[in-house]
Amino acid sequence: MSEQVCASADATVLLVDDNPQNLKVLYETLKDKGYRLLIANDGKKALTLARRDRPEVILLDIMMPELDGYQVCQQLKANPETADSAVVFLSALDDVEAKVKGFSLGGADYISKPFQAAEVIARVKTHASVVRLERQLQQRNRQLESDQSRILNAISEGIYGLDASGDIIFANPAAEAIVRSSGDELIGSNFFLTHCRDWGCQGDEPGSESELPVQATCRLGTSEHRRGVTMTRPDGSVFSAEYRSSPKLEGDELLGAVVVFRDITEELEREAELKAAQDMVEEQREQLAHASRLSTLGEMAAGFAHEVNQPLTAITNYARVAMRLIDNDEVDLTLLRETLVKTEAQSHRASEVIRRIRQFVKKPASGKEVVPVAALLEDTRQFAEVDVRHNGGGVNVLVEDGVEDVMADPVQVQQVTLNLIRNALEATRAAGSSEPVNVTAVRTGNGFVRIDVTDRGTGLPEDAESKLFLPFYTTKPEGMGIGLPMCQSLIKSQGGEIGFERPEQGGARFYFTLPESSAAEPDALRHQAAE
């Protein structure tokens, strides 16, 4: 009888016994432990299954007809394919001589009958783990032995083997190419004298271990990873390098270091060029955002003129009243004071309108700062009053209790919010509706504040989602299609996201998120404090 009774497994266990009852007990003990169980009721079948499946553990009865357990174990250990299996003898024999014989033939353990379930489970688990680890180690060693030379020769990074003094005892072909020197010239030379000549010392002074590349690894056994280190070649030329060094240990004894390095001179140059390009793109993005604000201001110029003209006209009229009061023989000081107070109030009104315009138009100089959400949205709502009068309807602002301040550029966020409000007002008017545009702010619960701009307007076409934030896509006959892409760029620069939803009641909802100030990067907060 032989049978594979469990197909899912971490390890394979072969149960060998000529007694069906014993096999059943073993099977019931191990069946739910995640092993792949094989069963054999005689020695020949056990050998066949062992050669075929290479089980990690073999529970082997000693007293069997034809081939007993000792003979089976002897054949298993003689065959290289099965020699590493852990043989655990099962027997009612409890004398020392029987155990010694089993161990001398290569047995790994001994379990006395009748079986104790906990003992069987523990011993199988231990031996299965050991055998699997040994097999993995052997496989890894074989791989390393066969691939080491090929890998070291093919790898693009330079590799050095150093002794504890820093002398080079191994150099792969890539190392030779990077430092422009042959292996014969490198091996035997000192790493620090060869490659750290321009550092001013070779590690003999106290504390120099923390300065020289690889010095701490050779002397202290500390792994290192450094980038942008200047290394000198034997011919005197220099290059920028990135390296990793790991200690070579034998027990507690430090034997030296393994150094993997590469020339990153061109890489650093490309990074510098990329950084310059990114800075240019960022500058151009800010210029485009500024131009967009100026364009928006131009569209709203007539309304602003009206906003400023009203208080100026009132100031002129109040000034004339004051002059007439002064010309009277008896000056009514109370009325004169009231007139001047009203004049002052109107001047403040005009000044506030101009302040909002200047704030909106200016190019941000200080970057991100801690911004109160309620004040930011209210300021934007007031700025949108010109569009409210032009389109009808209104703008409602609702900030949920507990909404934290955000870390953002207030001018850019105001630009995005105003753009979305203006689009919502225009869509509402196009739908013939007088419903107000609702601007709400809530916490998302993951360190962000979400701001929604919802309208009851005409909505957007069914295929709009995939195109909304593409440049030059627009649903307006006179639109250029740069507003929403600009909004997306500005919000992403704040560390947030922008998107679109379709409310159940119709219309459209645009939303964007901003990071809460409490979740902002410490560097940003320190930067603001310094300012």
Side-chain angles (χ1 to χ4, degrees), residues 418-431:
L418 182 60
N419 189 300
L420 298 179
I421 290 175
R422 296 183 73 214
N423 288 346
L425 287 169
E426 291 174 5
T428 300
R429 183 187 64 175

PDB file of all heavy atoms in Angstrom, residues 418-431:
ATOM      1  N   LEU A 418     -11.525  80.168  -7.266  1.00  0.00           N
ATOM      2  CA  LEU A 418     -12.250  81.168  -8.047  1.00  0.00           C
ATOM      3  C   LEU A 418     -12.571  80.645  -9.441  1.00  0.00           C
ATOM      4  O   LEU A 418     -13.676  80.867  -9.962  1.00  0.00           O
ATOM      5  CB  LEU A 418     -11.430  82.457  -8.134  1.00  0.00           C
ATOM      6  CG  LEU A 418     -12.093  83.615  -8.875  1.00  0.00           C
ATOM      7  CD1 LEU A 418     -13.404  84.024  -8.200  1.00  0.00           C
ATOM      8  CD2 LEU A 418     -11.154  84.814  -8.960  1.00  0.00           C
ATOM      9  N   ASN A 419     -11.628  79.932 -10.045  1.00  0.00           N
ATOM     10  CA  ASN A 419     -11.868  79.364 -11.370  1.00  0.00           C
ATOM     11  C   ASN A 419     -13.045  78.399 -11.337  1.00  0.00           C
ATOM     12  O   ASN A 419     -13.938  78.441 -12.203  1.00  0.00           O
ATOM     13  CB  ASN A 419     -10.595  78.660 -11.859  1.00  0.00           C
ATOM     14  CG  ASN A 419     -10.680  78.225 -13.306  1.00  0.00           C
ATOM     15  OD1 ASN A 419     -11.538  77.441 -13.672  1.00  0.00           O
ATOM     16  ND2 ASN A 419      -9.781  78.736 -14.124  1.00  0.00           N
ATOM     17  N   LEU A 420     -13.081  77.525 -10.326  1.00  0.00           N
ATOM     18  CA  LEU A 420     -14.171  76.554 -10.218  1.00  0.00           C
ATOM     19  C   LEU A 420     -15.496  77.236  -9.923  1.00  0.00           C
ATOM     20  O   LEU A 420     -16.546  76.843 -10.458  1.00  0.00           O
ATOM     21  CB  LEU A 420     -13.849  75.523  -9.128  1.00  0.00           C
ATOM     22  CG  LEU A 420     -12.593  74.663  -9.361  1.00  0.00           C
ATOM     23  CD1 LEU A 420     -12.393  73.702  -8.194  1.00  0.00           C
ATOM     24  CD2 LEU A 420     -12.687  73.889 -10.672  1.00  0.00           C
ATOM     25  N   ILE A 421     -15.486  78.274  -9.078  1.00  0.00           N
ATOM     26  CA  ILE A 421     -16.721  79.008  -8.772  1.00  0.00           C
ATOM     27  C   ILE A 421     -17.250  79.698 -10.019  1.00  0.00           C
ATOM     28  O   ILE A 421     -18.458  79.670 -10.315  1.00  0.00           O
ATOM     29  CB  ILE A 421     -16.473  80.016  -7.637  1.00  0.00           C
ATOM     30  CG1 ILE A 421     -16.260  79.288  -6.313  1.00  0.00           C
ATOM     31  CG2 ILE A 421     -17.647  80.988  -7.508  1.00  0.00           C
ATOM     32  CD1 ILE A 421     -15.880  80.201  -5.159  1.00  0.00           C
ATOM     33  N   ARG A 422     -16.368  80.333 -10.772  1.00  0.00           N
ATOM     34  CA  ARG A 422     -16.804  81.043 -11.986  1.00  0.00           C
ATOM     35  C   ARG A 422     -17.406  80.061 -12.993  1.00  0.00           C
ATOM     36  O   ARG A 422     -18.441  80.343 -13.608  1.00  0.00           O
ATOM     37  CB  ARG A 422     -15.625  81.789 -12.613  1.00  0.00           C
ATOM     38  CG  ARG A 422     -15.068  82.904 -11.727  1.00  0.00           C
ATOM     39  CD  ARG A 422     -13.962  83.655 -12.437  1.00  0.00           C
ATOM     40  NE  ARG A 422     -14.515  84.502 -13.491  1.00  0.00           N
ATOM     41  CZ  ARG A 422     -13.907  84.760 -14.643  1.00  0.00           C
ATOM     42  NH1 ARG A 422     -12.744  84.192 -14.921  1.00  0.00           N
ATOM     43  NH2 ARG A 422     -14.455  85.546 -15.534  1.00  0.00           N
ATOM     44  N   ASN A 423     -16.751  78.885 -13.156  1.00  0.00           N
ATOM     45  CA  ASN A 423     -17.312  77.881 -14.061  1.00  0.00           C
ATOM     46  C   ASN A 423     -18.689  77.424 -13.587  1.00  0.00           C
ATOM     47  O   ASN A 423     -19.613  77.236 -14.393  1.00  0.00           O
ATOM     48  CB  ASN A 423     -16.381  76.664 -14.137  1.00  0.00           C
ATOM     49  CG  ASN A 423     -15.107  76.947 -14.913  1.00  0.00           C
ATOM     50  OD1 ASN A 423     -15.006  77.956 -15.609  1.00  0.00           O
ATOM     51  ND2 ASN A 423     -14.120  76.074 -14.780  1.00  0.00           N
ATOM     52  N   ALA A 424     -18.840  77.249 -12.271  1.00  0.00           N
ATOM     53  CA  ALA A 424     -20.114  76.794 -11.717  1.00  0.00           C
ATOM     54  C   ALA A 424     -21.201  77.839 -11.913  1.00  0.00           C
ATOM     55  O   ALA A 424     -22.351  77.512 -12.244  1.00  0.00           O
ATOM     56  CB  ALA A 424     -19.940  76.464 -10.230  1.00  0.00           C
ATOM     57  N   LEU A 425     -20.876  79.110 -11.720  1.00  0.00           N
ATOM     58  CA  LEU A 425     -21.858  80.188 -11.909  1.00  0.00           C
ATOM     59  C   LEU A 425     -22.300  80.258 -13.373  1.00  0.00           C
ATOM     60  O   LEU A 425     -23.491  80.435 -13.668  1.00  0.00           O
ATOM     61  CB  LEU A 425     -21.259  81.528 -11.473  1.00  0.00           C
ATOM     62  CG  LEU A 425     -21.098  81.718  -9.955  1.00  0.00           C
ATOM     63  CD1 LEU A 425     -20.254  82.961  -9.672  1.00  0.00           C
ATOM     64  CD2 LEU A 425     -22.454  81.840  -9.271  1.00  0.00           C
ATOM     65  N   GLU A 426     -21.342  80.113 -14.290  1.00  0.00           N
ATOM     66  CA  GLU A 426     -21.682  80.161 -15.712  1.00  0.00           C
ATOM     67  C   GLU A 426     -22.571  78.974 -16.103  1.00  0.00           C
ATOM     68  O   GLU A 426     -23.524  79.128 -16.874  1.00  0.00           O
ATOM     69  CB  GLU A 426     -20.403  80.166 -16.545  1.00  0.00           C
ATOM     70  CG  GLU A 426     -19.602  81.464 -16.413  1.00  0.00           C
ATOM     71  CD  GLU A 426     -18.265  81.390 -17.122  1.00  0.00           C
ATOM     72  OE1 GLU A 426     -18.006  80.368 -17.788  1.00  0.00           O
ATOM     73  OE2 GLU A 426     -17.474  82.344 -17.009  1.00  0.00           O
ATOM     74  N   ALA A 427     -22.261  77.769 -15.558  1.00  0.00           N
ATOM     75  CA  ALA A 427     -23.081  76.591 -15.866  1.00  0.00           C
ATOM     76  C   ALA A 427     -24.481  76.742 -15.288  1.00  0.00           C
ATOM     77  O   ALA A 427     -25.473  76.327 -15.910  1.00  0.00           O
ATOM     78  CB  ALA A 427     -22.411  75.341 -15.302  1.00  0.00           C
ATOM     79  N   THR A 428     -24.582  77.334 -14.105  1.00  0.00           N
ATOM     80  CA  THR A 428     -25.893  77.542 -13.476  1.00  0.00           C
ATOM     81  C   THR A 428     -26.738  78.499 -14.306  1.00  0.00           C
ATOM     82  O   THR A 428     -27.936  78.280 -14.533  1.00  0.00           O
ATOM     83  CB  THR A 428     -25.708  78.091 -12.050  1.00  0.00           C
ATOM     84  OG1 THR A 428     -24.943  77.150 -11.278  1.00  0.00           O
ATOM     85  CG2 THR A 428     -27.047  78.306 -11.370  1.00  0.00           C
ATOM     86  N   ARG A 429     -26.122  79.589 -14.769  1.00  0.00           N
ATOM     87  CA  ARG A 429     -26.853  80.545 -15.604  1.00  0.00           C
ATOM     88  C   ARG A 429     -27.274  79.892 -16.916  1.00  0.00           C
ATOM     89  O   ARG A 429     -28.407  80.093 -17.389  1.00  0.00           O
ATOM     90  CB  ARG A 429     -25.975  81.769 -15.895  1.00  0.00           C
ATOM     91  CG  ARG A 429     -26.705  82.843 -16.714  1.00  0.00           C
ATOM     92  CD  ARG A 429     -25.778  83.965 -17.124  1.00  0.00           C
ATOM     93  NE  ARG A 429     -24.734  83.486 -18.021  1.00  0.00           N
ATOM     94  CZ  ARG A 429     -23.835  84.268 -18.605  1.00  0.00           C
ATOM     95  NH1 ARG A 429     -23.828  85.557 -18.368  1.00  0.00           N
ATOM     96  NH2 ARG A 429     -22.917  83.748 -19.400  1.00  0.00           N
ATOM     97  N   ALA A 430     -26.386  79.063 -17.515  1.00  0.00           N
ATOM     98  CA  ALA A 430     -26.718  78.404 -18.783  1.00  0.00           C
ATOM     99  C   ALA A 430     -27.908  77.465 -18.624  1.00  0.00           C
ATOM    100  O   ALA A 430     -28.657  77.234 -19.583  1.00  0.00           O
ATOM    101  CB  ALA A 430     -25.503  77.639 -19.310  1.00  0.00           C
ATOM    102  N   ALA A 431     -28.104  76.912 -17.421  1.00  0.00           N
ATOM    103  CA  ALA A 431     -29.225  76.013 -17.170  1.00  0.00           C
ATOM    104  C   ALA A 431     -30.498  76.762 -16.805  1.00  0.00           C
ATOM    105  O   ALA A 431     -31.541  76.138 -16.562  1.00  0.00           O
ATOM    106  CB  ALA A 431     -28.867  75.032 -16.052  1.00  0.00           C
TER     107      ALA A 431
END
